[in-house]
Amino acid sequence: MNRIKVGMADYKVAVAPDILMTIGLGSCVGITLYDPVLKIGGMAHIMLPCSAHYSNNFNKAKFADTAIEILLKELIEMGAVTRRLVSKIAGGARMFEIRSTDERMKIGERNVEAATKVLESKGIPIVAKDVGGTYGRTIELNLEDGSLLVKTIGHGEKIL
Amino acid sequence: MMKIDDISKLNSLYLDVLRELGNIGTGNALTALSSMTGKRLNMRAPLVKILKLSDVPDLLGDPEKKVVGVFFEMSGDVKANILFVLTVNSAKQIINMILNTEAVNEEFDDMEISVISEVSNILVASYVNALSQLMNLKLAITPPAYSMDMAGAILSVPAVQFGEIGDYALYIETDFLEDNDRINGYIFMIPDVGGLEKIMRNLGVDY
């Protein structure tokens, strides 16, 4: 069993019994896809909602829309079937409460909204989520059973 | 005039200027902190860290380590984010020094959080004042926003703006240490890209 680390603006796919993990999600969102029959899955650590708003959008893992596309594409190449896939998402916090006109502080909510919309459009159900709040999260997707462990500091630990 | 569109390719003159800003800002901030705590503080040479986005959460080592972060937005003629980061132990020491208490609890109460916020506010205001004088620019900061959380989640907040233009982030980092190693902290200045151009222009740096 390998623990495969997914960095910020990064994605990985893997097969059971591996574990995919990403550390310190703040306003970023961890998006996971899992095919329970083949026990394969993917995880992306996205920073921004939508690639279309930016001219430099080559890094697909940075945006909710393109990250889901690339995860889906790679999982299908590995034999996954779209209608079997389930998704779990976590993150999208607002780390600092700041009175600001700057929309950047609301980026967490917008990331969650974008991820939800794109997954819906692909017909992939979000079977569990742990989003929002004002605290960071570390997540681990266990490809043996598709469970998602969410760890925090001061807000407990849960398995989705 | 050239436009900065790829911060991974900034030239060395640029980096020297940014280091110098870190130097002057932090020097001023530490003078303020010294007079509040009565302790001597030493700073390390500022570093301009240009990082791939994926490496930002690891900026201070273990991204899951619990730290105290106080976040500010700098506005006015130049926009930037300023992040003051303390180890939990250092935050405790500062609270003890200011309140003359022996805080042992790791969960700070409202009073203790407000001490840290206020100390950070004075510190960061001193930092920004120094920059304002140096560059002859009008600069202001928002009130402090406090968080105690994973280093990775805190450090990633200012990186979002860089994500919008590319795959690298620029953090001007200055570490400081108290004489007896009891206080250890970091001040990060993270200018936005438009801000970088303006800084250079106002300091008469050609690029």
Side-chain angles (χ1 to χ4, degrees):
Chain A
M1 186 263 282
N2 295 310
R3 298 167 72 84
I4 300 166
K5 204 178 141 185
V6 180
M8 185 160 75
D10 183 18
Y11 78 97
K12 296 274 163 56
V13 292
V15 185
D18 288 354
I19 288 177
L20 286 164
M21 66 177 301
T22 196
I23 297 172
L25 290 162
S27 62
C28 296
V29 174
I31 302 172
T32 71
L33 296 182
Y34 182 64
D35 180 334
V37 174
L38 295 185
K39 297 188 175 186
I40 62 177
M43 177 182 287
H45 180 144
I46 64 106
M47 292 180 79
L48 292 163
C50 182
S51 62
H53 298 159
Y54 306 101
S55 54
N56 181 350
N57 55 13
F58 307 108
N59 180 355
K60 294 194 182 333
K62 197 159 65 180
F63 309 96
D65 55 345
T66 45
I68 292 168
E69 297 274 1
I70 189 94
L71 282 180
L72 197 52
K73 180 170 169 276
E74 292 211 6
L75 290 173
I76 288 171
E77 276 167 14
M78 291 163 75
V81 177
T82 309
R83 66 182 156 70
R84 283 202 306 247
L85 291 176
V86 290
S87 177
K88 294 180 181 179
I89 63 174
R94 188 186 293 212
M95 294 304 295
F96 295 101
E97 286 296 338
I98 199 158
R99 270 167 292 163
S100 167
T101 51
D102 195 332
E103 285 297 304
R104 274 181 205 138
M105 285 297 138
K106 293 184 192 139
I107 194 74
E109 293 159 45
R110 288 170 46 216
N111 282 336
V112 171
E113 272 168 30
T116 307
K117 221 166 101 185
V118 176
L119 287 166
E120 257 169 25
S121 76
K122 303 280 176 206
I124 301 169
I126 299 176
V127 293
K129 61 180 173 183
D130 182 39
V131 297
T134 55
Y135 51 89
R137 295 168 172 90
T138 286
I139 59 172
E140 295 184 8
L141 178 68
N142 185 335
L143 294 170
E144 202 53 69
D145 60 4
S147 65
L148 187 73
L149 172 66
V150 182
K151 295 193 285 183
T152 69
I153 286 182
H155 293 84
E157 201 173 292
K158 53 181 120 173
I159 295 175
L160 301 178
Chain B
M1 189 178 295
M2 210 176 92
K3 210 167 155 44
I4 300 170
D5 50 10
D6 187 350
I7 48 168
S8 67
K9 297 198 175 83
L10 290 180
N11 68 35
S12 64
L13 174 61
Y14 246 75
L15 302 183
D16 284 345
V17 169
L18 297 176
R19 260 192 294 275
E20 192 51 24
L21 292 182
N23 207 5
I24 290 166
T26 309
N28 221 37
L30 290 187
T31 309
L33 185 59
S34 275
S35 64
M36 280 185 282
T37 57
K39 305 290 170 195
R40 269 190 43 174
L41 299 154
N42 305 304
M43 63 188 257
R44 301 205 178 96
L47 300 168
V48 177
K49 290 191 169 168
I50 294 171
L51 309 150
K52 276 177 74 176
L53 291 174
S54 56
D55 295 330
V56 167
D58 305 313
L59 197 50
L60 295 178
D62 179 7
E64 276 192 297
K65 186 177 158 181
K66 180 158 89 169
V67 297
V68 169
V70 188
F71 183 83
F72 298 82
E73 274 176 14
M74 187 175 94
S75 59
D77 292 336
V78 170
K79 281 204 173 96
N81 291 149
I82 298 186
L83 186 58
F84 180 53
V85 178
L86 286 167
T87 62
V88 174
N89 216 29
S90 302
K92 249 195 265 183
Q93 294 290 344
I94 290 176
I95 292 167
N96 290 346
M97 287 171 192
I98 304 276
L99 295 181
N100 231 339
T101 51
E102 284 300 322
V104 277
N105 203 332
E106 286 244 324
E107 294 305 314
F108 297 157
D109 63 21
D110 287 351
M111 179 66 183
E112 289 160 342
I113 289 173
S114 116
V115 166
I116 291 298
S117 301
E118 205 35 55
V119 166
S120 313
N121 195 32
I122 294 169
L123 223 76
V124 171
S126 310
Y127 189 111
V128 169
N129 274 339
L131 299 191
S132 162
Q133 280 171 21
L134 180 76
M135 297 189 284
N136 195 22
L137 290 171
K138 275 206 186 69
L139 302 173
I141 51 169
T142 55
Y146 169 94
S147 173
M148 186 194 280
D149 214 307
M150 299 171 192
I154 284 177
L155 289 165
S156 67
V157 172
V160 171
Q161 54 150 331
F162 291 107
E164 295 182 323
I165 55 154
D167 290 308
Y168 288 85
L170 183 153
Y171 286 56
I172 305 170
E173 172 188 325
T174 324
D175 307 1
F176 62 88
L177 202 63
E178 191 240 343
D179 263 355
N180 301 316
D181 287 4
R182 284 177 304 183
I183 302 174
N184 177 210
Y186 311 83
I187 301 180
F188 294 98
M189 215 266 275
I190 307 107
D192 80 356
V193 175
L196 274 177
E197 290 166 5
K198 197 148 194 183
I199 288 169
M200 295 305 156
R201 201 153 57 228
N202 268 57
L203 292 173
V205 179
D206 251 337
Y207 57 90

